[in-house]
């Protein structure tokens, strides 16, 4: 869905670190241009940016849970 709405979607990962025995935290920024459908409004063709932090909990089977906080625009 995101790639369909943002034609040149790019993620930059700024930090990744472990938190305890079963968690990994990443801080990232995404940029691109809103040129397609899929973000709940007509595509204006303008640049978009979001910044986020995600926490992953892993177990023996792999990714068990994740929590995200995202800020859109700037």
């Amino acid at each position: 869905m995101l790639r369909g709405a943002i034609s040149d979607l790019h993620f930059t990962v700024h930090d990744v670190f472990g938190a305890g025995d079963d968690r990994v935290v990443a801080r990232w920024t995404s940029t691109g241009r809103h040129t397609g459908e899929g973000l709940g409004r007509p595509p204006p063709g303008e640049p978009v940016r979001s910044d986020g932090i995600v926490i992953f909990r892993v177990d023996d089977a792999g990714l068990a849970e994740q929590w995200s906080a995202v800020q859109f625009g700037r």
Side-chain angles (χ1 to χ4, degrees):
M1 179 186 86
L2 215 54
R3 289 211 182 269
I6 302 173
S7 58
D8 55 349
L9 182 62
H10 178 78
F11 280 88
T12 301
V13 177
H14 303 289
D15 296 300
V16 176
F17 58 91
D21 293 337
D22 64 349
R23 287 178 171 73
V24 176
V25 180
R27 182 177 65 90
W28 53 267
T29 297
S30 71
T31 57
R33 187 169 298 276
H34 184 188
T35 57
E37 300 294 327
L39 294 180
R41 62 184 178 105
E46 297 175 352
V48 292
R49 175 185 171 133
S50 60
D51 298 286
I53 295 174
V54 62
I55 302 169
F56 301 100
R57 186 177 70 79
V58 294
D59 61 18
D60 292 338
L63 179 62
E65 294 179 273
Q66 75 177 39
W67 303 273
S68 302
V70 180
Q71 178 180 0
F72 293 98
R74 245 199 199 191

